[in-house]
Amino acid sequence: MSLISLIARGKLFSYSIKLFIIALIFHENSEARMKRTIFLISIFLFLFSCAKSQEFVFTPLNVLHGLSDNQVRYMLQLPDGRMVFKTTGNINIYDGAGFKYIHRDSQRRYPLKTYDGFYRIYLSGDSILWIKDYKELLRVDLRKEKYTQDLAGYFKKIGFPKPIDNFFMDTKQRLWLLIGDKLVLSDHTQEFELSQDQGRLQDVSAHEEKLYLFYSTGKVICYDLNSKRRLYSAAAYPGTHYARFGNTSLVVKGRNGFYQLRNGTHGGFFFFDLQKQAWRKILETEYTLNTLVVDAKGKASISCAKGIWIIDCFSSEKRYWPLLNKTDGSKLNTEISTLLYDKQGGFWLGTVNQGILYDHPERYIFKHIGASYFPGALLGDIMVKAFAEDVSGDIYLKCKSGFYRYKTALSNGNALEKIDVFSIPPPVRHKLEYPQMLVDYNIDHTAELTDSRGWKWIGTGDGLRLFKPSGEQHVFYTKDGLSNNFIQAILQDSHNNIWITTSYGINKVQIDSISGNVHFTSFDSNAGTLDGEYTNQAVYESLSGDLYFGGINGFSILKPSRLLQRKLPFKPVFTNLFLKGEKVEPGKSYGNRVILINSAPYIKKIQLDYDQNFLTFQFSALNYQNPSQTLYRYQLIGIDKSWRETFSRREDGVNGDGVLEISYTNLPHGNYKLRVMASNNNKEWNGPVSELDLTINAPWWQTLPAIICFVVLASVLISAAIFAYISHTRKSLERTHREELLLLRIRSLIDQQNVLLSEKENLPAAVEERSDASQSKIGLNQAESEFLERAMKLVEMNIEVTDYSVEQLSRDLNMDRTGLYRKLITLLDKSPSLFIRNVRLEKAAQLILEGKLNISEITERVGFSSSSYLGKCFFEQYGCRPSEYARKVKNQRH
């Protein structure tokens, strides 16, 4: 490649080109010219790498942000989008907002006696990590967030009782186990006998139905998986170079072949062409090459002892970055242990002792012109107050420290130069010296704009006010999406977009064309804006459409075309569940129920008890590019009638890290479905939807079996009550009927007794004997009749005595209570108390029929304690109330 083509490819600074041309002029002879050329090429390459290093600006992610330790060994991205960082300390799982750790467990190691290569991690399925380090192997289940306890037992279970010498995974996620001279597939469907003279087996890969084995000798041997026949072999380097490259191997599958990193005394980068079945060496270094990634376009990125290599594998163009730029302007000079391109276009670097570095080509959409760009200015003197533009498109700035010209055609440090005020074109100078300022500027009125809709926007020191022609008014604060409440300037660009600068950050106003709702998109230092305060009225749109925002210690430039952002590639990941404010841990019981049987990202259904209904869900959109600009909408089907949208970084559920928190309290039992979507600043809801099924069980007394039991029990109780009522009513009627018959019998006996006594005095003995025979026929003898008559007379004599009791009656009859009871039960089938009560009731009925006394007087006359008790007993005896008795008897007689 010619030197001129290198210059053209490198796009060096103008001063480096001039230096190179001047150096070529001064030469003495061919040898001196050659040495000078080599020297200048070295200078050229150094300047080239420095110029190109501006393409990357890395954001650090280290222990200050939650990483367990800064010694990063390996990185990979899970199918759901989360990042896995293996450090010396433990496994770190990153969701764009925070870290979750799986701590080391040295007792779970399995020995691999033939593996002496670098640190490797294989992902099996969506949740199994195989960690292969020097002479050891570990297995981690991400669903349980635990190491496998007995890896030897696991291998025995799948049919490998003998010790395993090495472990591999091919490009189709098939596991291959090396046992002695045999390479066996984990499901035992494939097995290959290996020859010892090929060297140590270092890597295994696959393409279509072919298996490729990579050995320490540099050879690759191809086998047909169907016939198990060896097809061919090819060596990457001759046997004399074994010491250079024979120690370690890392193979990455490319579009047309395999890329391989090799290390020994040197580092080498090779490519094996599948069509040509031949190797090609792309790079050789005198130091170790650590990790390799190759994208679909054939761009290879290689980490090494100092910096990184970026190589176009098709054109063999190589770029080397020994120094890496950080967002704070400093440069990092350290060993890069590992690297990775994620599925969002981000570039991750893992360092030996500086943590993680992250870069995204679309992250810094604003260009930051900081204090270091201002020549001759002291820190603190730079306060950009106004902008103006000349006919050539150059931008002029008025600052506290003087006037500057920004050459828009340049992009390096020479783009900004300090100039004298009199060298500024008069029209431009007039705009700078007399900018359009508010006449009544004060803390309550800092900026003003009437937009194309006729809406009037007024910025204040505490919020943004909006006045619509209809009379509708609104006030917006940080809780509504503003990055800061102190408004510095308001600008409407040529595309009718409204821009607002504040004391921290820039906001773009987005207005829904249908509802008219206002939404603010915030841009902070993560997007390339100033890390400090903007200044009042220092906003400007150039003729090219570029926007300039002035502030303290610099200004920001935005090309509106850079606002177009790709949609988020992953659906939001469920990261945490909180029950009544307590974080729910996987595998732990809560109220005799394990709520999360796996870690949260692998949960699709949650079942809870009726009293576990105060819930908070956390989701992450995995927006590594700019998490603070993540927007969400969510809906709990069964509770929310429509989608709920979050419009703020810190309010309405979204914090500054872009995590969505959804809280629901006192949810009724039932089945629900939680749906979550995420979007970036474009607010386009066309991405994938995360769904989580939620079941809150009813309390046991509201479950179907309990309800059935309650219905059955209620039916039994009602049936029993009905049966008891019917039985009681029947017995009561029978008892009443028997009592009436007995009373009639007693009256009849007494009447007959009286008749017999009177006849006895007048008739002869024969008649008396006949009477006795008649009396005997009805069932009572003379003694029994006399006993009953005497008992009735005693009760009638004491009928007005309320407390005349069974004891008194038995004493008056010269009997004990038990004897009286037995006697009356035998003769009348009733107890003494009922006997007394019935005599009283008969007397009461007689008095009612006479009609001379009222109910209260009758109550006292017959010895009842109250009229109500008399009425109750009377109703049981005669089936009606005392007040109705006389009328019923009268009706019956007629």
Side-chain angles (χ1 to χ4, degrees), residues 615-783:
L615 304 171
T616 298
F617 303 87
Q618 280 189 352
F619 284 82
S620 175
L622 308 174
N623 185 3
Y624 305 120
Q625 178 183 345
N626 203 329
S628 64
Q629 295 182 27
T630 306
L631 306 177
Y632 290 95
R633 69 175 184 174
Y634 62 92
Q635 180 185 20
L636 184 63
I637 298 177
I639 295 295
D640 302 323
K641 295 182 179 180
S642 60
W643 288 97
R644 294 186 181 186
E645 294 188 3
T646 60
F647 298 107
S648 172
R649 293 183 302 132
R650 298 177 177 87
E651 297 288 335
D652 195 21
V654 183
N655 63 26
D657 292 329
V659 172
L660 172 68
E661 287 192 358
I662 311 170
S663 295
Y664 290 94
T665 59
N666 201 24
L667 285 173
H669 63 83
N671 297 317
Y672 306 94
K673 185 183 291 291
L674 180 60
R675 307 175 68 201
V676 180
M677 298 182 68
S679 176
N680 48 30
N681 277 335
N682 57 25
K683 202 184 176 186
E684 294 181 359
W685 303 110
N686 55 2
V689 181
S690 294
E691 294 186 347
L692 181 64
D693 292 328
L694 174 66
T695 298
I696 299 180
N697 295 325
W700 67 267
W701 57 86
Q702 294 185 25
T703 60
L704 181 60
I707 292 174
I708 293 174
C709 291
F710 291 152
V711 170
V712 172
L713 180 60
S715 301
V716 170
L717 292 176
I718 292 172
S719 300
I722 293 174
F723 178 78
Y725 175 76
I726 293 174
S727 176
H728 173 74
T729 303
R730 184 176 64 252
K731 289 180 179 180
S732 177
L733 292 175
E734 291 176 353
R735 184 176 61 251
T736 302
H737 181 66
R738 286 197 304 270
E739 290 176 353
E740 290 176 351
L741 291 177
L742 288 172
L743 288 174
L744 290 174
R745 185 179 179 187
I746 293 170
R747 291 297 180 188
S748 177
L749 291 174
I750 293 173
D751 291 340
Q752 292 179 18
Q753 182 69 23
N754 292 332
V755 171
L756 291 174
L757 290 175
S758 60
E759 290 179 350
K760 186 177 181 180
E761 296 175 355
N762 302 316
L763 295 176
V767 177
E768 184 175 352
E769 291 176 0
R770 193 166 51 248
S771 176
D772 291 339
S774 176
Q775 190 179 59
S776 176
K777 288 179 182 180
I778 63 173
L780 290 177
N781 54 34
Q782 182 68 31

Side-chain angles (χ1 to χ4, degrees), residues 842-876:
E842 286 186 359
K843 184 64 175 179
Q846 181 182 348
L847 294 175
I848 290 172
L849 292 176
E850 292 176 357
K852 297 179 181 180
L853 301 175
N854 59 32
I855 297 301
S856 297
E857 292 172 335
I858 293 173
T859 299
E860 295 179 359
R861 184 70 61 87
V862 296
F864 276 90
S865 59
S866 65
S867 299
S868 59
Y869 183 60
L870 171 63
K872 177 178 178 297
C873 296
F874 198 91
F875 187 85
E876 292 178 358

